[in-house]
Amino acid sequence: MSLPADDGAAEKSSNNNDFTVTPWEVEGEVDYGRLIEKFGTQPITQELLQKVKSMTGEIHPMLKLGYFFSHRDFDWVLDKKEKGENFYLYTGRGPSGMVHMGHLMPWMFTKYLQDKFDAKLLFQLTDDEKFLYGQDRTREETRRYTYENILDIIAIGFDPKKTRIIVDTKHIEHLYPIATEIAKRITFSTAKAVFGFTNSTNIGMIGFPPIQAAPCFLPSIIEGKNTPVLIPAAIDQDPYWRMTRDVADRMGYYKPAQVHSKFLPGLGMMGKMSSSRPETAIFTTDEPEVVEKKVSSAFTGGQPTVALQRQLGANALGCPVFWYLRYFFDTEKQSDERMLKCKSGNLLCGECKADLAKGAKPFVVEFKKRREKAKDVVAKFMYDEKPIEP
Amino acid sequence: MSLPADDGAAEKSSNNNDFTVTPWEVEGEVDYGRLIEKFGTQPITQELLQKVKSMTGEIHPMLKLGYFFSHRDFDWVLDKKEKGENFYLYTGRGPSGMVHMGHLMPWMFTKYLQDKFDAKLLFQLTDDEKFLYGQDRTREETRRYTYENILDIIAIGFDPKKTRIIVDTKHIEHLYPIATEIAKRITFSTAKAVFGFTNSTNIGMIGFPPIQAAPCFLPSIIEGKNTPVLIPAAIDQDPYWRMTRDVADRMGYYKPAQVHSKFLPGLGMMGKMSSSRPETAIFTTDEPEVVEKKVSSAFTGGQPTVALQRQLGANALGCPVFWYLRYFFDTEKQSDERMLKCKSGNLLCGECKADLAKGAKPFVVEFKKRREKAKDVVAKFMYDEKPIEP
């Protein structure tokens, strides 16, 4: 079953205009259908899904179930691939805290794309941006999170031969020449309109977007020929790519293509899972007991009493526990059954929470082991193949 | 004789408000006295000159004759030196064209300071800025000028053991971490007020000033302790240091000190000698015949006819030929005599032009030889001691 693109959030508040999506802030219950209109992106159609299936033999659950729901030129990248032009993948992470399960989803999908399309991947850590944005954030803090986040990225299982991690402050010499080419073509007016900069924005933040745009053109430089790039990332990063696409032509490069994901909600409410509300996020470094506790305190789509739930049914699409199970641990069939049972009042929230805990506890135990192993191979993944300090 | 700080330009047009001085534009006849007020810098006093003399045994002609006419904390740097704290020198060049004699003057003074105070020097080439500023300027163009300008810098005779050249796009990894620390502390409002940015300024230019500020704090990082820095440079660069001084305290560094020079006029009129009017500038790569021709076509402070000149005298202080001779080839005594003879009508412009050609022709011949020798030692001077492509 394919769920509507405007999922639980929209169902709960279809007339609610009260949401904000920028690269630095996601607030409120996001209406993804409206976001497609607002950002001017394309919805992922059945035709596109069939195209993917014709090339890979299958449709990844995150595409089929609508977690990746929007794109720009994803079809074009696939056409290019069919004609023998390989594409690079490019995605990133702002190291402002530890990694939680919400972060892993686009990365897991990126690894899937890497495997299926035999694609090289650039993975950027924007430690400069996170330092510039957080008024009280120290360089030491972003340095530490950068290292910790790299362990999570490697633990995803990317191919070390085909993956290079770029840390902005470490590898700036590779980005800066391209970034100045981009920056020269973007006026303050444009940047203000795209990113919402004001007079009180610091000039580091104003100068930053070209640094995030630069890896879109790096593959063409590495390969010595114009090279398509596909960016799997949450939709809040779209302003960067809108800006980048505007200058690509003038610089003689292909426009970077994107496939946009929704945000995985936190356990506390629908919305983007946030590191700044740690009690509502399952971190990859959480102990199993902590995971158990967070899951048992989770917000659900349930009714106030068992009797009411049996009578009225509950709101699966507005329940973060449902979505965690759907994207991480249930098969599609299990998830569809769960939704029907939930809606009809034949499933209580305690049961779903127990299922989630049963999946999430071994998940973090296993992931922590992979993070430990990652420590030995960090240098292999770095852009310059030099180690990075813990 | 020490000339008044507001020299020929002011004498010629003391009520003329029509001059502009920014890092990217110097237009009109500059009133240096008013510039001191406008920029809030300090005039170089007799007391300061005596302080210099007490430490070096002499007063360099460029200080004595008012070519360096303004400062911030130059006295403080000298106090620090007396107490055993060595200072770094830092100056720079925007590689937007070939080097002419006007550029050499602050560099010659910088070399003098290096020798007298046994000071280490950082010399920055802002190739990124020049690329970002010139709408039609290509990276290839700034790359080529960067190399050519480096030959001129080395030809000045700086101590290779104590001098490091920084090319922004080549050595950005050393500047970027400091630059983001600076950028975080400067809002767009502030940058707009200091540099005159507008909505149509590109975001590269807006993000650039912290890159020029970064070498002010690099010595403290290199030396592992707070280290005074003295910047000898033309006064049009002052906005950068005003901005840098504002953030230095908050970053735990000394405020960088400056000593500001006037602009050497072009041969065509009083004002800054400009590479964009090549017929009025003597380039270090000009052939002697070309120098001869440029000098013979020079604008002077003379009268329309010989008879009038004999009768009324001429305007030495408003004559570029006089200033070239004064700063490059005359002794102080010769120059003072020349001025008196000129003012009293006992000297014709042709005589001064002949003297200038006599000085300048062997000067460029000798300088070109030094530039050739410089080619063999470029790597020695580079910040990372790696060669740079011609």
Side-chain angles (χ1 to χ4, degrees), chain A residues 137-151:
Chain A
R137 205 170 276 151
T138 62
R139 186 170 298 288
E140 171 54 30
E141 224 176 306
T142 49
R143 195 197 55 71
R144 190 168 61 84
Y145 286 136
T146 296
Y147 179 78
E148 291 293 335
N149 293 178
I150 285 172
L151 300 183

Side-chain angles (χ1 to χ4, degrees), chain B residues 240-252:
Chain B
Y240 287 108
W241 322 131
R242 222 181 303 154
M243 177 197 81
T244 312
R245 289 169 62 88
D246 276 351
V247 299
D249 269 350
R250 285 181 279 156
M251 291 176 64

Side-chain angles (χ1 to χ4, degrees), chain A residues 128 131 134 139 176 180 184, chain B residues 128 131 134 139 176 180 184:
Chain A
D128 47 353
F131 171 71
R139 186 170 298 288
Y176 193 65
T180 48
K184 185 170 178 171
Chain B
D128 47 354
F131 171 71
R139 185 170 299 291
Y176 193 64
T180 49
K184 187 170 177 171

Side-chain angles (χ1 to χ4, degrees), chain B residues 90-282:
Chain B
Y90 161 38
T91 193
R93 155 84 182 142
S96 57
M98 297 298 279
V99 159
H100 54 64
M101 288 180 71
H103 297 125
L104 300 184
M105 292 187 59
W107 305 353
M108 287 158 64
F109 184 64
T110 302
K111 173 184 156 44
Y112 173 84
L113 292 175
Q114 175 173 69
D115 293 344
K116 281 288 164 183
F117 292 99
D118 192 27
K120 291 178 186 167
L121 164 66
L122 296 179
F123 204 120
Q124 180 183 43
L125 283 116
T126 56
D127 59 336
D128 47 354
E129 179 218 5
K130 288 304 167 190
F131 171 71
L132 286 164
Y133 183 65
Q135 201 50 53
D136 300 322
R137 205 170 275 150
T138 62
R139 185 170 299 291
E140 171 53 30
E141 223 177 308
T142 50
R143 195 198 56 71
R144 189 168 62 86
Y145 286 136
T146 296
Y147 179 77
E148 291 294 335
N149 293 179
I150 285 172
L151 300 183
D152 291 295
I153 293 161
I154 295 173
I156 291 287
F158 293 113
D159 181 345
K161 289 201 189 72
K162 295 210 168 74
T163 304
R164 283 296 171 269
I165 295 173
I166 296 169
V167 177
D168 285 353
T169 58
K170 292 280 168 196
H171 307 121
I172 188 68
E173 70 266 36
H174 303 285
L175 304 174
Y176 193 64
I178 315 172
T180 49
E181 296 265 6
I182 298 165
K184 187 170 177 171
R185 291 167 168 88
I186 298 163
T187 63
F188 181 64
S189 285
T190 301
K192 201 161 59 168
V194 174
F195 297 101
F197 295 143
T198 67
N199 275 340
S200 60
T201 305
N202 75 55
I203 57 174
M205 287 300 292
I206 297 171
F208 170 74
I211 303 286
Q212 180 156 335
C216 296
F217 305 136
L218 199 50
S220 295
I221 291 166
I222 296 169
E223 300 293 326
K225 63 177 182 194
N226 209 345
T227 301
V229 168
L230 175 65
I231 306 169
I235 188 129
D236 58 338
Q237 299 299 301
D238 185 68
Y240 287 108
W241 322 131
R242 222 181 303 154
M243 177 197 81
T244 312
R245 289 169 62 88
D246 276 351
V247 299
D249 269 350
R250 285 181 279 156
M251 291 176 64
Y253 296 118
Y254 291 141
K255 289 177 198 289
Q258 294 96 59
V259 52
H260 302 116
S261 79
K262 297 175 185 172
F263 314 112
L264 189 67
L267 292 172
M269 53 176 292
M270 299 302 283
K272 187 181 177 181
M273 183 184 270
S274 169
S275 312
S276 58
R277 286 179 295 184
E279 74 287 359
T280 71
I282 299 174

Side-chain angles (χ1 to χ4, degrees), chain A residues 280-352:
Chain A
T280 71
I282 298 174
F283 290 90
T284 59
T285 48
D286 276 345
E287 293 303 321
E289 311 83 75
V290 175
V291 172
E292 173 106 47
K293 194 160 172 297
K294 284 178 176 176
V295 171
S296 75
S297 312
F299 173 85
T300 69
Q303 302 291 350
T305 65
V306 170
L308 272 173
Q309 183 137 343
R310 293 281 183 213
Q311 188 190 330
L312 302 172
N315 176 12
L317 298 185
C319 172
V321 173
F322 172 79
W323 288 105
Y324 267 81
L325 283 163
R326 185 165 185 107
Y327 285 133
F328 276 96
F329 305 114
D330 281 350
T331 62
E332 186 178 355
K333 188 160 169 283
Q334 285 171 328
S335 181
D336 287 350
E337 286 170 6
R338 185 186 300 280
M339 185 174 61
L340 292 175
K341 281 173 74 181
C342 169
K343 285 194 163 182
S344 64
N346 289 316
L347 190 64
L348 294 181
C349 295
E351 295 171 64
C352 286

Side-chain angles (χ1 to χ4, degrees), chain A residues 53-67:
Chain A
K53 192 172 180 183
S54 76
M55 293 177 76
T56 65
E58 63 190 25
I59 305 174
H60 188 280
M62 288 190 203
L63 272 178
K64 195 172 178 185
L65 302 179
Y67 175 65

